[in-house]
Amino acid sequence: MRFLFLILLIIGIASAWSPEDYEIFKLNDKVRQVLGQEVTFYQWFNLTKGPKSTPVEIKKAYRKLSRASHPDKVKVKAKRKKAEEKYAMLSSVYNILRDASRKERYDYFLDKGFPKWKGTGYLYSKFRPGLVLTVFVVYILVSVLHYFALKINRKQSFKRIVEYKNQLKNQAWNGSIVPPSDGSDRRLMNEMNNTTFVVKNNGDVYVEDDEGLHLIDEHEINVNPTFKDTLIFKVPAKLYNFTFGKVFTPINTEVAYEKPHSKAEEEDQVDPVKKKKNKGKKMELPNGKVVYSRKK
């Protein structure tokens, strides 16, 4: 996404440049190549006022420089060709500086920075963002990437839990997708660390420990992150709560998530005598998988 954003930015900027802009870019590159990387049109003309030079001053400077660097004054034939090229370049620079609109464009790029030739075109932003803007743009990009990464990771975790439950049910029901007709529960033991799983007849899977049964529920994972889950909210909210939030009303950072009802919860709603389920907690299974469980 970041690469696509940069491509669109470059295309938008490049399309906004006029033929006159390209003429200025090429001439500027040529002047710096011949006279030095830091030489400007005004420095070449000895115009100490720079962009504030008047048309009369520009014309006077051109005539003086033109007389001094005329190719006819070069006696060595081998050097005359370079003198002619430089003289032609001098005339091109003067044509830009004496034209108000093109001079304005040159002054703009002189102040903001010139683009650089990248082999296929001049690729460069017309303005240089400051540190604050750069940090802000990077922060937004990172936040967007964080959101999509969070969404992908949660979906993968949800899928892993579903697949693991299906494996346990398949093992408990002897390879069948249909629960046993006797309606009894099936218990599975992991002998490596003495972890016991209980597969209910309705398809719910539990982990059993000293505290009782804990439902393995993939729906404890919110696969659709909210705005409060993203860095673009978390970082400013935590900074505020750490500073101003100690004096004023802090920002609520809790994420409200109403998960779908599981089969066990639907049964609880039918039978009001059953106890309310505890809030889900994260557990690591013997094979290294992380699941979310809830005490029965």
Side-chain angles (χ1 to χ4, degrees):
M1 176 173 289
R2 184 176 181 182
F3 178 76
L4 179 60
F5 172 82
L6 291 175
I7 292 296
L8 293 176
L9 179 64
I10 290 171
I11 292 175
I13 291 170
S15 62
W17 286 330
S18 65
E20 289 77 14
D21 290 339
Y22 281 101
E23 179 186 356
I24 292 172
F25 300 158
K26 293 177 181 179
L27 186 57
N28 179 70
D29 287 346
K30 195 171 183 179
V31 168
R32 291 184 174 183
Q33 183 179 1
V34 174
L35 303 177
Q37 291 299 317
E38 302 299 326
V39 176
T40 67
F41 293 178
Y42 298 108
Q43 289 174 344
W44 189 17
F45 277 45
N46 294 317
L47 294 167
T48 57
K49 293 182 181 179
K52 295 182 180 181
S53 301
T54 64
V56 175
E57 291 172 335
I58 293 173
K59 185 177 182 180
K60 184 178 179 180
Y62 167 69
R63 287 181 174 178
K64 181 179 179 180
L65 189 59
S66 176
R67 289 193 298 267
S69 58
H70 198 280
D72 293 342
K73 293 186 177 184
V74 180
K75 303 301 181 181
V76 182
K77 189 175 181 179
K79 296 182 179 180
R80 183 172 297 177
K81 186 176 180 180
K82 289 186 178 180
E84 290 175 350
E85 292 177 354
K86 188 175 180 181
Y87 189 79
M89 186 171 61
L90 178 66
S91 299
S92 299
V93 170
Y94 175 62
N95 289 335
I96 289 176
L97 295 182
R98 72 175 180 174
D99 185 281
S101 61
R102 289 196 291 176
K103 178 180 179 299
E104 183 180 359
R105 294 300 293 163
Y106 173 76
D107 292 342
Y108 173 84
F109 291 112
L110 185 62
D111 178 55
K112 303 300 181 182
F114 285 89
K116 294 182 179 180
W117 180 259
K118 298 296 184 180
T120 57
Y122 285 96
L123 305 181
Y124 182 72
S125 175
K126 285 187 177 179
F127 93 108
R128 293 177 175 175
L131 178 61
V132 175
L133 180 58
T134 301
V135 172
F136 177 75
V137 171
V138 172
Y139 173 64
I140 295 298
L141 290 175
V142 171
S143 298
V144 172
L145 292 176
H146 171 258
Y147 172 80
F148 284 104
L150 193 64
K151 189 177 183 70
I152 292 172
N153 289 336
R154 289 187 178 185
K155 284 187 175 181
Q156 290 177 343
S157 297
F158 184 94
K159 185 178 179 180
R160 283 196 296 268
I161 294 174
V162 172
E163 291 176 349
Y164 190 71
K165 287 175 62 178
N166 289 336
Q167 292 175 10
L168 292 173
K169 286 188 286 186
N170 186 274
Q171 183 179 352
W173 297 340
N174 297 321
S176 174
I177 61 174
V178 181
S181 57
D182 59 6
S184 61
D185 299 339
R186 294 291 188 268
R187 305 174 72 84
L188 302 173
M189 172 68 74
N190 187 306
E191 297 181 354
M192 293 183 63
N193 56 2
N194 295 325
T195 302
T196 302
F197 297 97
V198 178
V199 180
K200 296 287 186 179
N201 196 61
N202 62 2
D204 285 340
V205 181
Y206 293 81
V207 179
E208 186 177 35
D209 58 16
D210 295 338
E211 298 179 358
L213 295 179
H214 302 271
L215 176 66
I216 301 176
D217 187 5
E218 66 275 12
H219 293 291
E220 293 289 346
I221 301 176
N222 181 9
V223 295
N224 296 308
T226 64
F227 176 72
K228 285 187 175 182
D229 290 309
T230 62
L231 291 177
I232 198 172
F233 169 80
K234 282 186 174 182
V235 174
K238 287 185 177 181
L239 288 175
Y240 175 85
N241 289 341
F242 183 74
T243 54
F244 299 103
K246 294 183 177 181
V247 180
F248 304 101
T249 304
I251 298 175
N252 182 14
T253 58
E254 293 185 2
V255 179
Y257 168 56
E258 185 176 352
K259 72 180 185 66
H261 293 297
S262 65
K263 294 180 181 179
E265 289 173 325
E266 291 176 355
E267 292 175 358
D268 285 350
Q269 292 179 355
V270 175
D271 186 0
V273 177
K274 291 187 177 182
K275 295 182 180 180
K276 185 178 180 181
K277 301 292 184 298
N278 293 329
K279 187 177 181 181
K281 65 178 182 178
K282 184 185 291 186
M283 298 183 64
E284 185 173 350
L285 300 180
N287 64 347
K289 294 180 181 292
V290 176
V291 300
Y292 291 82
S293 66
R294 179 166 40 77
K295 186 175 179 181
K296 181 175 173 63

